[in-house]
Amino acid sequence: MRFAINLPPFAPPATLVALAVDAEQAGWDGVFFWDHMTWEPELRLDVHDPWVLLGAAATSTERVLLGTMVTPLARRRPWKVAKELTTLDHLSGGRAVLGVGLGAPADAEFEAFGERGEARHRAAVLDEGLTVLDGLLRGPVDHDGKHFTVRTEMLPRPVQQPRPPIWVAGESPHRRPLERAVGWDGFVPLSGTETLTPDSLAAYLDGIERPPAWDVVALHADGIPADEYASAGATWLVEGIGPDGDWIDTLRAVIRRGPRT
């Protein structure tokens, strides 16, 4: 089992990078950032770019894995994400990981910018975007699809070969995201506003033939030992909090406490 912190990018950038450094020093194995353009606009939060934050964290840490949890790939050009991910992989010495999903909320993340917000459309763009992204990270691409046309080669290749890990998020009980994730390197199981228990995680994963070395990156519910999640199939446990009240000091205390085993 490995342990990670998921940071909302709603604090000053220097504060967020310092939290990533604290996480490495406290024994966490990964640091991830939410990826949003805005988030619950009525709250009027300052939202910083996760990729810039990850680059700064890469130069200030030596060991932790670094990535997004998760990037709504349907609102991104996959070649731009490929370039950002490759640069992060080089900057960190091969510690980059990419989490992807449909993205939420659809109105604030897509429709507010003139993008289509329907889940089925976003899923189709996500699937094709992953194909293009994977190809660009591996070598020359000649792709002519419904949403993207790409004929090029991008250099350099990532440090990690054939590419950094890609984890796909999905929300219980929907099976399509889980089936999508089986084709990649891991799965981030979610459950609306609640955290999955080991029993509910095991039920969600039931019936899926897991590929070798496939990660299951679960949120860690309070009061439940890590070994129960391991028995349910998790390989990572992630902690983090939402931006409520004095959340920065609370999150800093969680980080400095270290992983809960």
Side-chain angles (χ1 to χ4, degrees), residues 3 17 31 36 50 52 68 88 107 109 112 115 131 157-159 193 208 216 224:
F3 300 89
V17 173
V31 174
H36 290 280
V52 176
T68 54
L88 177 63
D107 55 352
E109 291 289 322
E115 301 280 353
T131 298
R157 302 278 191 272
V159 173
T193 59
I208 291 294
V216 175
I224 300 179

Side-chain angles (χ1 to χ4, degrees), residues 8-9 13 17 32-33 40 64 68 70 87 93 96 104 133 137 150 153 165 196 204 232 256 259:
V17 173
F32 306 114
F33 285 94
E40 308 223 356
V64 289
T68 54
V70 294
T87 301
L133 174 67
L137 293 170
V150 181
E153 180 180 16
L196 290 170
Y204 193 10
R256 291 180 176 177

Side-chain angles (χ1 to χ4, degrees), residues 140-225:
V141 171
D142 187 352
H143 175 89
D144 189 2
K146 181 176 180 179
H147 304 287
F148 303 109
T149 298
V150 181
R151 295 182 179 88
T152 192
E153 180 180 16
M154 290 174 54
L155 296 173
R157 302 278 191 272
V159 173
Q160 298 177 81
Q161 289 296 311
R163 54 160 173 72
I166 295 175
W167 297 339
V168 176
E171 187 171 308
S172 174
H174 302 296
R175 304 298 290 178
R176 180 66 187 96
L178 178 52
E179 293 164 357
R180 175 184 295 117
V182 169
W184 301 96
D185 305 298
F187 182 50
V188 184
L190 306 171
S191 183
T193 59
E194 297 182 358
T195 301
L196 290 170
T197 65
D199 287 345
S200 55
L201 173 63
Y204 193 10
L205 297 174
D206 186 48
I208 291 294
E209 185 175 346
R210 296 171 54 172
W214 194 67
D215 280 309
V216 175
V217 187
L219 302 182
H220 195 175
D222 290 338
I224 300 179

Side-chain angles (χ1 to χ4, degrees), residues 231-254:
S231 297
T235 61
W236 281 83
L237 285 177
V238 180
E239 294 194 47
I241 61 173
D244 298 317
D246 193 16
W247 68 273
I248 297 175
D249 288 341
T250 302
L251 183 56
R252 183 181 292 110
V254 168

